[in-house]
Amino acid sequence: MRIGVPKEIKVREYRVGLTPDSAAELIRAGHDVVVETQAGSGVGFSDDDYKAIGAHILPDAEAVFADAEMIVKVKEPQPSETAMLKPHHILYTYLHLAPDPVQAEGLRQSGCTAIAYETVTDVDGRLPLLTPMSQVAGRMSVSVAAHCLQKAQGGRGLMLGGVPGVLPAKVVIIGGGVAGTHAAEMAIGARADVTVFDRSAKRLAELDEQFAGSVKTAYSTQGALDKAVREADVVIGAVLIPGAAAPKLVSRAMLADMKDGAVLVDIAIDQGGCFETSKATTHDAPTYIIDGVVHYCVANMPGAYARTSTLALNNATLPFALALANKGPQAAMNDDPHLARGLNVHAGEICYEPVARDLNLPYVKPQWLTSI
């Protein structure tokens, strides 16, 4: 199979779909890899690094899309990229389609087969291709919250951990999954006062045990959450419904009762965000203020730590990329129901039920797909 790696074009997105080491694994398996010039430069991989392992360098994205059968990316295709997709293409990347009808329609019109990292599962029902980026975003959420709390950034002027004689900031984390757990770890390390909300009593018990009681846990009823948000200095939204739009758990009305200079960090923004007032921002302009509350809603948070994120992501995505290339998409997905759950679009139809539901479109399971 001929596999193409275009340069990412989303604002301040430096990650790359395949590292030279990952490309080398595909080449050793008998495949050809073509890479857009400078695709890896943002994370320290030169064109010569790719040439050294046998990849071919092409001058632009148009050449990559025209030459390749499978396109391996990091972020969802932008409109100019979607326009280059054809029915023979396999697109393997993050998609986050539920809150993005424009992208969904573009992929449907292209006729391509689009496999989303964020809905591939493992034997335990977890999301192994989302996990590394959730780890990065969770850890990063605390550092950006600390920055946003600075008075010069519009925040309350509080240090997360306080100092002797001064109470620490109150950090509320909504969601005890991968991102929320890593956020809690960093917030505790910064000596903040940390409470994690979740709707799974089992998960709350696990968190209590994991952190030996150093994090408070609370079952997420709306009343309990409303009270905690009003008292919080930082609220980190880390809720996830696989493939579906994130639920809106903090309303615009709740902002009026929050402290002036409090900070909202929305890790769920790729799936539409879990705060009613969330709107996607960029690393160039990451924050805005509504009703005195600072919002940080960058839609590609891990891109800030692009090299770490690229290496972690490739560790997770490479085995599935090899399966797709070695077997072809249909055989690979029929051999592996976990990979099959990554199928979001095929032949103009939406093939992942939560996405179809949120976009108010028909869900169509391909007739050839027998593994799920």
Side-chain angles (χ1 to χ4, degrees), residues 14-312:
Y14 303 107
R15 290 173 288 179
V16 65
L18 291 177
T19 66
D21 282 349
S22 294
E25 291 294 313
L26 287 158
I27 290 168
R28 275 192 284 272
H31 307 290
D32 294 322
V33 176
V34 296
V35 181
E36 183 180 353
T37 184
Q38 299 300 305
S41 61
V43 288
F45 300 126
S46 68
D47 288 354
D48 286 342
D49 292 329
Y50 286 100
K51 289 177 184 177
I53 54 87
H56 304 281
I57 303 299
L58 296 181
D60 52 37
E62 288 81 359
V64 171
F65 278 76
D67 196 51
E69 299 165 79
M70 180 161 71
I71 303 295
V72 181
K73 281 177 43 61
V74 178
K75 288 304 291 176
E76 67 278 358
Q78 303 304 294
S80 63
E81 295 173 308
T82 306
M84 292 186 282
L85 290 167
K86 306 298 180 187
H88 72 276
H89 278 130
I90 307 155
L91 176 65
Y92 181 50
T93 189
Y94 287 117
L95 293 177
H96 300 293
L97 286 177
D100 193 350
V102 172
Q103 184 202 166
E105 184 59 24
L107 292 178
R108 291 178 68 212
Q109 291 295 327
S110 77
C112 77
T113 297
I115 299 164
Y117 294 161
E118 72 272 11
T119 61
V120 173
T121 60
D122 65 13
V123 293
D124 298 313
R126 295 171 300 198
L127 305 172
L129 309 193
L130 188 62
T131 292
M133 297 304 94
S134 296
Q135 292 168 339
V136 172
R139 293 183 175 211
M140 181 181 170
S141 68
V142 176
S143 62
V144 299
H147 178 72
C148 291
L149 275 175
Q150 294 178 19
K151 192 65 178 177
Q153 306 303 317
R156 300 197 68 220
L158 286 176
M159 291 187 72
L160 277 179
V163 293
V166 179
L167 291 172
K170 290 187 175 182
V171 176
V172 170
I173 300 169
I174 309 174
V178 174
T181 299
H182 281 261
E185 183 178 12
M186 298 302 284
I188 291 166
R191 300 186 175 187
D193 177 339
V194 184
T195 303
V196 179
F197 281 81
D198 202 277
R199 295 188 74 90
S200 167
K202 178 183 177 184
R203 184 60 191 145
L204 294 174
E206 291 170 346
L207 289 168
D208 182 70
E209 182 175 358
Q210 177 178 342
F211 293 112
S214 58
V215 61
K216 301 171 187 175
T217 58
Y219 189 83
S220 187
T221 64
Q222 193 62 56
L225 187 60
D226 287 357
K227 183 175 185 295
V229 167
R230 286 198 301 272
E231 297 174 355
D233 301 299
V234 173
V235 180
I236 297 173
V239 294
L240 173 68
I241 300 173
K248 304 298 184 187
L249 299 177
V250 175
S251 68
R252 172 67 185 269
M254 291 167 67
L255 266 59
D257 295 326
M258 292 183 69
K259 300 172 183 176
D260 281 345
V263 174
L264 298 178
V265 179
D266 200 339
I267 298 175
I269 191 63
D270 280 322
Q271 293 294 134
C274 59
F275 309 136
E276 186 181 0
T277 46
S278 290
K279 58 183 180 182
T281 61
T282 69
H283 290 293
D284 281 341
T287 63
Y288 57 92
I289 297 175
I290 296 178
D291 294 343
V293 176
V294 182
H295 292 59
Y296 180 99
C297 303
V298 174
N300 59 328
M301 286 178 65
Y305 298 97
R307 188 173 175 93
T308 296
S309 297
T310 292
L311 294 170

